[in-house]
Amino acid sequence: MTLISIHDETERRRIERFCYEATIPVSGGTSYNLLFNPKPSHIIRAVMAYGFKRARLRYAYMLLRGRDMKTETYSAGLRDKMFARLKNRLDDVPDLNNWHEFIHCVMSAGYFSRSLIASENALVYTYVMYLIGKYDFGIDAAALRKLV
């Protein structure tokens, strides 16, 4: 989150707003739901796993600093490229249509309460699989709902 704050304040605020709105029950278009209140680290983890195919936050830090994973060198050009990719993929993760459709998929599987969720990270990675299925593989909504 620190690197995002330094390089792109707008995206940091967007992540924080999405997480904050998930805790407030209001009518209208917010991320609020009865199942899961994401934290900024959850959103960053989802963006990195979805957009960069890296699930560990340790890699998020390296990539956003501009590290080439093969040569283990850092460059400002690669850092800018990684932030552009982050921004592009961040459009899909906090998208309210994706978010609520995913939450409905989980609830239709029988998870109606927070107490039934053993691991928040498992829920985050399931959301990542949902996004990969939808955008990378083009799986239609009905089939994706059954897979999730």
Side-chain angles (χ1 to χ4, degrees):
M1 197 64 165
T2 303
L3 280 174
I4 295 172
S5 296
I6 292 169
H7 295 285
D8 199 338
E9 184 72 21
T10 306
E11 297 304 321
R12 180 191 64 83
R13 286 186 182 147
R14 185 173 164 196
I15 292 168
E16 287 178 342
R17 183 178 57 246
F18 180 82
C19 294
Y20 174 73
E21 288 176 354
T23 64
I24 302 170
V26 296
S27 61
T30 68
S31 55
Y32 178 75
N33 65 83
L34 297 172
L35 197 59
F36 178 56
N37 293 334
K39 297 173 184 68
S41 62
H42 292 134
I43 301 303
I44 294 169
R45 189 179 301 270
V47 171
M48 295 309 293
Y50 166 57
F52 295 87
K53 307 305 185 255
R54 301 283 181 162
R56 297 179 67 192
L57 286 180
R58 180 176 82 118
Y59 293 115
Y61 184 75
M62 289 179 199
L63 288 168
L64 294 178
R65 283 189 58 215
R67 182 176 181 172
D68 183 333
M69 300 306 264
K70 291 180 183 171
T71 64
E72 297 184 4
T73 59
Y74 292 89
S75 74
L78 187 56
R79 181 189 64 220
D80 294 340
K81 183 179 174 184
M82 292 296 130
F83 268 97
R85 189 172 178 184
L86 173 88
K87 190 173 186 175
N88 183 32
R89 290 303 189 156
L90 191 56
D91 289 339
D92 297 333
V93 173
D95 179 83
L96 293 178
N97 291 328
N98 291 336
W99 179 249
H100 287 296
E101 178 61 29
F102 168 72
I103 294 297
H104 288 169
C105 289
V106 174
M107 291 179 88
S108 69
Y111 295 93
F112 295 106
S113 169
R114 293 175 202 265
S115 63
L116 296 173
I117 306 296
S119 168
E120 290 180 341
N121 282 339
L123 197 60
V124 170
Y125 289 125
T126 305
Y127 184 46
V128 169
M129 288 188 272
Y130 171 84
L131 292 172
I132 290 172
K134 181 176 181 176
Y135 290 107
D136 293 353
F137 292 98
I139 299 173
D140 68 287
L144 196 54
R145 193 172 301 117
K146 289 179 183 178
L147 288 172
V148 170

